Amino acid sequence: MAPTRIVVLISGSGSNLQAIIDHCQSGDINGDIVSVISNKADAFGLTRALRANIPTQVLSHKEFDSREAYDEELAKIIDSCNPDLVVLAGFMRILTPSLVQKFKGKMLNIHPSLLPKYQGLNTHQRAIDANDEYHGASVHFVTEELDGGPVVVQAKVPILPNDTADDLAQRVHKQEHVIYPLVVRWFSEHRLTMEADYAVFDKHPLPAQGVDYN
């Protein structure tokens, strides 16, 4: 089975990128990261990619007049890599519908909440403020709805009495580094697909919250 060609989009430190790099290098994921693309030239994730001999590209959103113009150029760059899978790993951009449609069914994202709770930003503090018992992370297929695509896997962490948002974020990140490579591996093994509005794993439709990793 040919390795899955993976393009990863980042904006920051790239810790989830590193987790996926590690699993590709160990052979746990039958995949090759063929390019890492960032909208920020100073993203540390680019350094992680270079250390792993992965080609990198920077496409700054500041050089474009509109979101549509940026995403049109981004789509061309991604397309030139001939990817089987596009992984959003801390890519802090809201994607236009045309870009999402182009890669529908082969674009994944990870979001720091138990979706559908807390779409958008500041999820850790929002979970604390709501007195939730649990928080966590969700890996999902990307659709036009922000953080609204079919969920594949969720991992929960308990919210402790004296947790700050940073405390909680650190525990959630540890779970992210487990479940994101897992989902990429499933995709690379052709066990995971997306139908109209739900995810399918081993030929079985997944429930709305996906697989409970815990």
Side-chain angles (χ1 to χ4, degrees), residues 55 155 201:
F201 178 60

Side-chain angles (χ1 to χ4, degrees), residues 124-125 127-129 132-135 157-172:
H124 310 300
Q125 190 61 55
I128 291 171
D129 291 345
D132 288 351
E133 187 177 357
Y134 290 96
H135 187 44
V157 299
I159 299 178
L160 304 179
N162 297 315
D163 266 346
T164 66
D166 286 343
D167 295 333
L168 191 52
Q170 288 182 18
R171 291 207 305 283
V172 170

Side-chain angles (χ1 to χ4, degrees), residues 173-191:
H173 282 152
K174 289 181 180 178
Q175 294 299 314
E176 289 181 10
H177 301 160
V178 174
I179 64 173
Y180 214 177
L182 176 65
V183 173
V184 173
R185 188 185 87 197
W186 288 348
F187 190 95
S188 74
E189 294 170 342
H190 304 288
R191 300 172 65 192

Side-chain angles (χ1 to χ4, degrees), residues 54-212:
I54 298 169
T56 62
Q57 300 181 69
V58 176
L59 185 68
S60 174
H61 56 279
K62 295 179 181 178
E63 298 174 6
F64 293 82
D65 293 333
S66 68
R67 190 179 300 277
E68 288 74 18
Y70 179 84
D71 277 10
E72 184 177 342
E73 184 61 28
L74 178 60
K76 290 178 184 176
I77 293 174
I78 297 172
D79 227 8
S80 71
C81 300
N82 192 27
D84 301 305
L85 177 65
V86 180
V87 172
L88 307 183
F91 189 59
M92 302 304 290
R93 299 274 305 166
I94 296 175
L95 304 180
T96 55
S98 60
L99 179 64
V100 171
Q101 280 292 334
K102 185 173 182 62
F103 300 104
K104 193 169 186 178
K106 58 179 185 178
M107 182 179 279
L108 293 169
N109 184 43
I110 191 160
H111 183 71
S113 80
L114 298 173
L115 291 171
K117 281 190 171 184
Y118 313 127
Q119 296 165 319
L121 301 175
N122 303 317
T123 61
H124 310 300
Q125 190 61 55
R126 288 159 68 190
I128 291 171
D129 291 345
N131 294 315
D132 288 351
E133 187 177 357
Y134 290 96
H135 187 44
S138 307
V139 180
H140 65 94
F141 281 103
V142 177
T143 62
E144 291 90 336
E145 181 187 353
L146 178 65
D147 302 323
V151 175
V152 180
V153 174
Q154 291 187 331
K156 295 177 182 177
V157 299
I159 299 178
L160 304 179
N162 297 315
D163 266 346
T164 66
D166 286 343
D167 295 333
L168 191 52
Q170 288 182 18
R171 291 207 305 283
V172 170
H173 282 152
K174 289 181 180 178
Q175 294 299 314
E176 289 181 10
H177 301 160
V178 174
I179 64 173
Y180 214 177
L182 176 65
V183 173
V184 173
R185 188 185 87 197
W186 288 348
F187 190 95
S188 74
E189 294 170 342
H190 304 288
R191 300 172 65 192
L192 175 67
T193 58
M194 175 182 157
E195 300 302 330
D197 58 355
Y198 58 93
V200 176
F201 178 60
D202 284 345
K203 300 181 180 179
H204 295 287
L206 293 178
Q209 276 76 44
V211 175
D212 183 353

Side-chain angles (χ1 to χ4, degrees), residues 2-9 16-17 20-21 23-25 28-37 54-55 57 78 81-89 106-108 180-181 183-189:
T4 297
R5 294 175 60 84
I6 303 168
V7 170
V8 182
L9 307 186
N16 275 306
L17 165 65
I20 294 168
I21 289 173
H23 282 260
C24 287
Q25 290 179 336
D28 183 55
I29 293 173
N30 180 30
D32 290 327
I33 302 176
V34 295
S35 186
V36 172
I37 304 168
I54 298 169
Q57 300 181 69
I78 297 172
C81 300
N82 192 27
D84 301 305
L85 177 65
V86 180
V87 172
L88 307 183
K106 58 179 185 178
M107 182 179 279
L108 293 169
Y180 214 177
V183 173
V184 173
R185 188 185 87 197
W186 288 348
F187 190 95
S188 74
E189 294 170 342

